[in-house]
Amino acid sequence: MVIGKRVNPLIIAVFISVFLIFSKVFPFPKRNAFNSVFAASRITGVYGKVISSPSINSKQTFYTMDFKLIEAESESGKGTAYGKITLYIPPEIIEVYFPGRLFSLGVSKGGTFIEDGSILFVKGNFIKESFYVKEVVSCDFEKQRFIALKKIRALARLHFKRLMFEWKDAGGLLLSLLSGSREYTKAELSDSFRKAGLSHVLALSGMHLSILMGIAVFLGNKIKVYRLMLILQFISITVFVWFAGFSPSLLRAFICSIVLLFEDITAVRKSSMIEVLSFSFLVQAVIRPDDLFTLGFVLSYGALVGILLFGNMFRRFYTRFTPKVLAQSLSASTGAQACTVPVSLKYFGSISPVGIISTVFVSPLISIFIYGGLIFIILCLIFPPLTGLCGIFLNLLYNLIVILVDFFSRFPLITV
């Protein structure tokens, strides 16, 4: 991708694209804008397809999901509708099959099982481009191509929730880290992560893919077949992203990983990480333009740009008075914050400077926690009686993480 010593045209294209998109010099049309024969205020019901997994909000009062419209209903009848909206559904509707929640209610009253790929007809009311659901009239999975994969994924996520429920609080955190589902993560813990400057740790991102790729490298080295190792890496990250869902940050990490794997497989000249990130940005902007203005997208790219642009400068500073390994971690954390501080101030009105230090201590523990959780999951699937014992060890590590996060969350925030 590099042309002599000149600046790569790909990087120039990205800078121009970023300027045009975020400066709003030219209007950026929404590809999936809401449209209907009825005014939104008259719509009492919508019919369409769920195109993302339900995600609970921070206060755990609603589940949100992306919804592709097919039809709308008003008091005067039904009519065509199209575009993408956000559904807000109360927990008592979504959680009817979740362990420890309203499982018995779901069995006795035929509760709905809503996941990515579900076809819904729901009643409620519009507020802007969001539809607040009061009643689910009908629910089924789409009867189209790849439906088997959609159902397998939905059932796999449900059974995974049931396994994690057995591990109590530790299972709730592991569920969040491996599937993006936070309904079993305590709201107080999520708030502590935010105050400690560790919100990025809970977001599905490159850290999770690097862990899976590391496992594939370990297995590949044991087998001593390099190409097989690369294939295992590709399979592992693809299955994980399929299972967890294509959040903006995870899609960015997935595209970057695929590019790097392609270069290894084909043995072409290696690109710099800024070139790989630029390519990822352009691809994601084309295939998922709605991601561009989401907070996850901006923070994900901003953090990595900060690490790539300023990491070396901060590392030279930190190596003057800290060990090399610690300096590496501190420089990455500082570089990430350097580019995301303006965004955090705009969206949250505050930043957590202690996040530079807390990341250094908590992130390695989170990685160990994920590694341990994956090993325990495999063991429990093979030997179910080990579930209780594995849960004890996992909760010990969980409690250590909670203590550290709670400690760092007590440091003051900078508010504007």
Side-chain angles (χ1 to χ4, degrees):
M1 291 185 184
V2 180
I3 303 177
K5 294 184 179 180
R6 294 179 295 171
V7 177
N8 192 319
L10 182 67
I11 299 176
I12 296 175
V14 168
F15 274 103
I16 294 174
S17 299
V18 169
F19 173 76
L20 293 177
I21 293 171
F22 292 101
S23 67
K24 298 184 179 180
V25 173
F26 298 103
F28 191 79
K30 291 187 67 175
R31 178 185 294 180
N32 299 302
F34 163 74
N35 209 325
S36 172
V37 294
F38 304 117
S41 59
R42 294 181 55 206
I43 294 176
T44 57
V46 291
Y47 175 77
K49 181 173 70 172
V50 177
I51 55 175
S52 69
S53 294
S55 175
I56 199 163
N57 65 350
S58 59
K59 295 182 179 180
Q60 300 192 353
T61 53
F62 280 99
Y63 278 85
T64 62
M65 63 204 74
D66 294 331
F67 190 69
K68 185 177 180 181
L69 286 168
I70 298 174
E71 192 175 66
E73 182 181 76
S74 71
E75 292 181 356
S76 58
K78 296 181 180 180
T80 303
Y82 57 89
K84 187 177 76 172
I85 62 173
T86 301
L87 288 189
Y88 283 76
I89 303 185
E92 56 265 26
I93 293 177
I94 296 292
E95 295 178 351
V96 291
Y97 287 109
F98 288 9
R101 295 297 174 91
L102 300 174
F103 179 74
S104 59
L105 175 63
V107 172
S108 63
K109 297 191 176 182
T112 55
F113 179 37
I114 300 175
E115 255 289 355
D116 182 15
S118 296
I119 300 293
L120 298 180
F121 175 42
V122 294
K123 291 190 174 183
N125 58 283
F126 258 103
I127 298 179
K128 296 183 179 180
E129 291 190 6
S130 299
F131 191 83
Y132 287 77
V133 176
K134 296 180 180 178
E135 178 188 0
V136 178
V137 179
S138 65
C139 176
D140 196 4
F141 272 92
E142 58 178 320
K143 296 180 174 64
Q144 298 177 3
R145 296 172 59 188
F146 307 116
I147 182 56
L149 285 177
K150 294 273 189 179
K151 279 191 174 181
I152 290 172
R153 177 182 182 271
L155 291 172
R157 287 172 63 87
L158 178 61
H159 287 295
F160 187 60
K161 284 182 173 73
R162 291 176 178 174
L163 174 60
M164 294 300 97
F165 182 72
E166 294 294 323
W167 289 341
K168 300 180 181 178
D169 291 340
L173 179 60
L174 190 60
L175 176 67
S176 175
L177 293 170
L178 293 180
S179 71
S181 298
R182 298 188 182 182
E183 48 267 82
Y184 293 99
T185 303
K186 291 182 177 179
E188 302 81 30
L189 180 61
S190 297
D191 190 53
S192 294
F193 268 90
R194 181 186 62 81
K195 290 179 180 178
L198 294 166
S199 294
H200 61 282
V201 172
L202 295 180
L204 298 177
S205 63
M207 179 186 74
H208 302 77
L209 297 191
S210 64
I211 288 173
L212 294 171
M213 293 176 76
I215 295 173
V217 170
F218 173 78
L219 295 175
N221 289 335
K222 291 293 183 182
I223 302 172
K224 297 182 179 179
V225 179
Y226 182 70
R227 287 294 178 91
L228 179 59
M229 177 193 71
L230 296 177
I231 293 172
L232 287 174
Q233 287 181 311
F234 173 77
I235 293 174
S236 64
I237 63 174
T238 301
V239 171
F240 175 74
V241 173
W242 166 77
F243 176 77
F246 286 92
S247 65
S249 58
L250 194 56
L251 179 57
R252 187 271 305 162
F254 181 68
I255 295 172
C256 291
S257 300
I258 292 299
V259 171
L260 295 174
L261 281 174
F262 175 79
E263 291 182 341
D264 282 336
I265 291 172
T266 58
V268 298
R269 185 175 181 180
K270 299 294 185 293
S271 306
S272 67
M273 275 307 302
I274 195 68
E275 291 170 332
V276 173
L277 188 64
S278 298
F279 177 78
S280 173
F281 177 90
L282 293 177
V283 171
Q284 195 164 352
V286 171
I287 65 176
R288 290 271 294 269
D290 291 345
D291 285 352
L292 291 174
F293 299 99
T294 63
L295 183 59
F297 179 92
V298 175
L299 290 177
S300 177
Y301 277 92
L304 196 50
V305 167
I307 292 171
L308 296 174
L309 294 183
F310 305 117
N312 286 333
M313 178 183 71
F314 286 120
R315 186 168 61 251
R316 287 193 294 269
F317 169 74
Y318 285 123
T319 49
R320 295 177 182 177
F321 53 87
T322 61
K324 186 176 180 179
V325 175
L326 184 59
Q328 181 71 27
S329 299
L330 286 170
S331 62
S333 182
T334 309
Q337 286 227 3
C339 279
T340 57
V341 161
V343 179
S344 297
L345 289 175
K346 175 179 174 58
Y347 280 90
F348 305 117
S350 64
I351 58 173
S352 177
V354 76
I356 295 174
I357 300 173
S358 62
T359 299
V360 175
F361 292 94
V362 177
S363 286
L365 280 178
I366 291 292
S367 296
I368 295 171
F369 184 76
I370 294 175
Y371 275 121
L374 290 171
I375 293 171
F376 290 159
I377 288 171
I378 295 172
L379 285 175
C380 292
L381 290 176
I382 299 173
F383 307 106
L386 292 178
T387 300
L389 183 61
C390 290
I392 292 174
F393 285 110
L394 202 62
N395 273 281
L396 289 174
L397 184 54
Y398 168 84
N399 288 329
L400 177 58
I401 292 171
V402 170
I403 290 171
L404 276 176
V405 172
D406 181 65
F407 170 75
F408 287 115
S409 69
R410 297 177 186 276
F411 283 76
L413 301 174
I414 295 179
T415 305
V416 292

